[in-house]
Amino acid sequence: MEAETLLTNFAIIASFISPENIGTNPVSMIWLFPLASAIAVVYKATKLPTITTGNFIKEVLPLLGSIIVFLGATALVLYGLVWFITE
Amino acid sequence: MAQLSKEKHITFLFLVGISGWFIPGAGYFLLKEKSRAIIIFVTIILTFCIGLYIGSIGVIDPIGSWPWYIAQVMVSPIVAGLGHLTAGGGYPVYGRPNEIGQIYTSIAGLLNLLCIVNAIYLAHLRGIKANGG
């Protein structure tokens, strides 16, 4: 049991001292979502006068959506620009 | 008497700021904003840990990428300890994991800076209100 716990602890520490394998592909863009969520949550946590579960979610979701939509639109414009220059 | 009150107020603002730097969200905790403090603590620590998980502790590089390091150290002074550990280049990380890890950890630091400034401002407003200003 103790050896098992020790192994688990080593596995946890090891995951923080060796980097994950993330390729240079469109799938890596998925990592954008947790970061955008964190920004929306912290921003709204500082701005709302009173925090209740209902109003917090109601405020965070539109902000998260607008961040993602704006980033997507920017990416599309940049992709179009690159396509226009290279083709 | 007014001078003493002003000194107390400045000390309290300093305490709110420094505690918010040592533990994300602690500044709000001192202002009795518990739910706000918990949300901020969990979000900032989670964002920072995701960054470390993706890029390893090698993303904290006080020598090779010091502008990122300044933002990262805003999470907590403990990050400076991690920076001391990685300064020798013992945890190399390159490419996409390095980029994403640095972005995550630095954004976590900048978000905490936003919270520190906001908590100090809130404490200042309450101080003014309490003094009848």
Side-chain angles (χ1 to χ4, degrees):
Chain A
M1 191 64 188
E2 267 185 25
E4 209 172 281
T5 315
L6 206 64
L7 270 175
T8 312
N9 289 345
F10 275 131
I12 291 168
I13 293 167
S15 63
F16 286 97
I17 56 172
S18 58
E20 286 297 294
N21 188 17
I22 298 172
T24 315
N25 51 39
V27 180
S28 66
M29 287 294 126
I30 289 172
W31 285 108
L32 157 88
F33 294 105
L35 190 64
S37 311
I39 292 169
V41 166
V42 171
Y43 181 75
K44 281 297 172 186
T46 59
K47 290 294 164 197
L48 286 181
T50 48
I51 296 177
T52 58
T53 314
N55 83 336
F56 190 67
I57 292 169
K58 220 160 61 183
E59 291 281 339
V60 167
L61 287 182
L63 179 62
L64 177 60
S66 59
I67 291 172
I68 289 167
V69 166
F70 185 76
L71 283 174
T74 310
L76 275 178
V77 169
L78 289 174
Y79 184 78
L81 197 69
V82 169
W83 180 82
F84 183 72
I85 293 166
T86 55
E87 287 298 313
Chain B
M1 195 68 186
Q3 184 67 29
L4 189 71
S5 172
K6 196 178 176 187
E7 275 173 17
K8 260 187 185 175
H9 181 60
I10 290 169
T11 310
F12 183 62
L13 295 185
F14 181 76
L15 193 69
V16 166
I18 208 83
S19 59
W21 182 41
F22 270 81
I23 304 166
Y28 287 107
F29 199 81
L30 287 180
L31 296 168
K32 296 184 173 57
E33 296 269 354
K34 283 183 187 170
S35 54
R36 213 182 293 270
I38 291 166
I39 290 168
I40 285 165
F41 176 79
V42 170
T43 313
I44 288 174
I45 294 298
L46 205 62
T47 308
F48 187 75
C49 286
I50 291 173
L52 290 188
Y53 174 74
I54 295 167
S56 82
I57 55 170
V59 296
I60 301 164
D61 184 4
I63 296 159
S65 49
W66 62 267
W68 293 98
Y69 178 72
I70 292 170
Q72 288 162 341
V73 93
M74 292 295 161
V75 172
S76 174
I78 297 165
V79 177
L82 280 176
H84 184 71
L85 201 72
T86 59
Y91 302 93
V93 51
Y94 308 102
R96 193 50 73 89
N98 185 39
E99 286 169 19
I100 297 178
Q102 272 182 339
I103 290 169
Y104 264 83
T105 48
S106 301
I107 294 286
L110 294 176
L111 286 173
N112 196 35
L113 181 64
L114 171 78
C115 294
I116 292 168
V117 172
N118 194 259
I120 292 171
Y121 181 63
L122 200 66
H124 177 62
L125 287 182
R126 285 187 184 176
I128 288 172
K129 216 181 236 181
N131 288 335

